[in-house]
Amino acid sequence: MQSVVITGVSTGIGHAAAKVMIARGFRVFGSVRNQADAERVQAELGDNFAPLIFDVVDTAAIAKAAASVREALGGTTLAGLVNNAGIAVSGPLLEVPESDYRKQLEVNLMGPFLVTQAFAPLLGADPELQGPPGRIVNISSVSGIRAMPFLGPYSASKFGLEGYSESLRRELMLFGIDVIVIGPGPVKTAIWDKAEDVDVEQYANSPYRPILERFQKVFISQGRDGYPADRLGELIYTALTTAKPKVRYAAVKGRKIEKLMMQVASPRMLDKAIAKMLGLAKKV
């Protein structure tokens, strides 16, 4: 039985991916951050799921998890690593707290870096292991190639992940380990119910305050009508198993005309359209 490691499986994309991979005959080692989530997901996904308890910025805990997976593999290679765990920090870049911005980059950029360093030997960088080299799938975002206002911290982290993935893919050719990026748009998960409760009062005295409220409504509406998490799980399975994977898969729901406009419109044209939609045009 082939095995994969997926970070952030307690909910959302990671949970959906774990469910799909197990249904397709894989054993999944999935990271969660506490024992309660480990027990819950174990009960939901069954015997072919093995929880790993670590935060993606905790180097010691990651190393311990990698050692346990190595032991479970018994001298064979890991088929895949899915760097999925992440957070999204929003707010105007002139006013976002420094600590929030640092946390965004720490989780979304340092997290995949640390996890990949720990698990790459199991994917085939360690020549003593038997079996074909595995693959790495990094979950980026449409925000990794196109940045919206008020998602600057998140976009910075995902743009960085895209660059990191490209360099990593080329470096790991030495070991036959492929690196694939998946860049979804909004994904339909329970996170959008929580997003309604995000407090914008910290920006009560900001000139962005009314625009932030408008943006929140638009963003939540798009999310609730977003890409189904189960379909994204199937796409992750494809990226890990298809004979000749693409280097990047987009998973964005929307009308073809809207997608085409985003591809062909100039940055200045998009600036004007976004400003009109949210009320960002300078008042004269």
Side-chain angles (χ1 to χ4, degrees):
M1 179 181 291
Q2 290 184 300
S3 300
V4 298
V5 169
I6 304 174
T7 64
V9 301
S10 60
T11 58
I13 295 171
H15 190 277
K19 186 177 179 181
V20 168
M21 296 303 294
I22 289 170
R24 297 299 182 92
F26 281 75
R27 174 174 53 171
V28 172
F29 297 91
S31 84
V32 295
R33 289 192 294 168
N34 57 65
Q35 185 63 38
D37 281 343
E39 292 173 2
R40 173 179 58 81
V41 179
Q42 173 80 75
E44 291 170 356
L45 298 183
D47 293 340
N48 285 336
F49 174 78
L52 304 171
I53 301 177
F54 66 82
D55 191 302
V56 294
V57 297
D58 186 337
T59 307
I62 295 168
K64 183 178 178 181
S68 71
V69 173
R70 177 183 282 270
E71 183 177 358
L73 291 175
T76 61
T77 54
L78 189 65
L81 167 65
V82 182
N83 283 309
N84 163 71
I87 61 172
V89 171
S90 62
L93 284 166
L94 296 184
E95 302 176 30
V96 167
E98 177 187 344
S99 59
D100 290 354
Y101 194 86
R102 287 184 181 278
K103 184 176 182 181
Q104 176 71 92
L105 298 181
E106 186 79 6
V107 174
N108 287 16
L109 266 181
M110 285 301 296
F113 168 77
L114 295 172
V115 171
T116 298
Q117 282 200 337
F119 285 95
L122 304 183
L123 292 164
D126 180 350
E128 293 185 3
L129 298 182
Q130 300 297 313
R135 294 178 184 175
I136 297 170
V137 174
N138 288 333
I139 305 300
S140 180
S141 167
V142 67
S143 292
I145 57 172
R146 185 171 65 245
M148 291 293 286
F150 311 121
L151 288 176
Y154 181 69
S155 291
S157 73
K158 292 301 186 181
F159 266 74
L161 183 65
E162 298 266 351
Y164 164 78
S165 298
E166 187 156 314
S167 291
L168 184 68
R169 186 181 74 247
R170 289 167 179 164
E171 291 179 13
L172 292 186
M173 291 170 66
L174 179 66
F175 304 107
I177 301 169
D178 201 1
V179 179
I180 300 110
V181 170
I182 295 180
V187 178
K188 192 184 299 183
T189 67
I191 194 172
W192 304 107
D193 297 328
K194 299 176 184 177
E196 268 188 332
D197 299 327
V198 173
D199 185 15
V200 297
E201 285 305 314
Q202 63 180 311
Y203 302 111
N205 298 319
S206 169
Y208 290 111
R209 174 69 160 77
I211 305 169
L212 280 167
E213 289 185 331
R214 194 174 302 123
F215 174 78
Q216 189 179 42
K217 290 177 183 177
V218 170
F219 195 56
I220 291 171
S221 175
Q222 290 178 344
R224 284 180 169 157
D225 190 39
Y227 201 86
D230 288 346
R231 280 183 59 194
L232 194 54
E234 293 286 352
L235 184 56
I236 291 169
Y237 169 79
T238 296
L240 286 170
T241 60
T242 193
K244 295 182 179 180
K246 298 178 182 180
V247 297
R248 190 182 194 279
Y249 292 87
V252 181
K253 185 178 178 183
R255 294 181 298 173
K256 288 184 178 180
I257 188 66
E258 292 172 343
K259 294 179 181 179
L260 182 63
M261 187 190 80
M262 296 302 283
Q263 290 172 2
V264 302
S266 72
R268 296 295 187 189
M269 289 174 63
L270 290 174
D271 287 350
K272 290 178 181 178
I274 291 166
K276 184 177 181 180
M277 178 177 67
L278 295 177
L280 275 167
K282 189 179 188 304
K283 295 180 175 61
V284 294

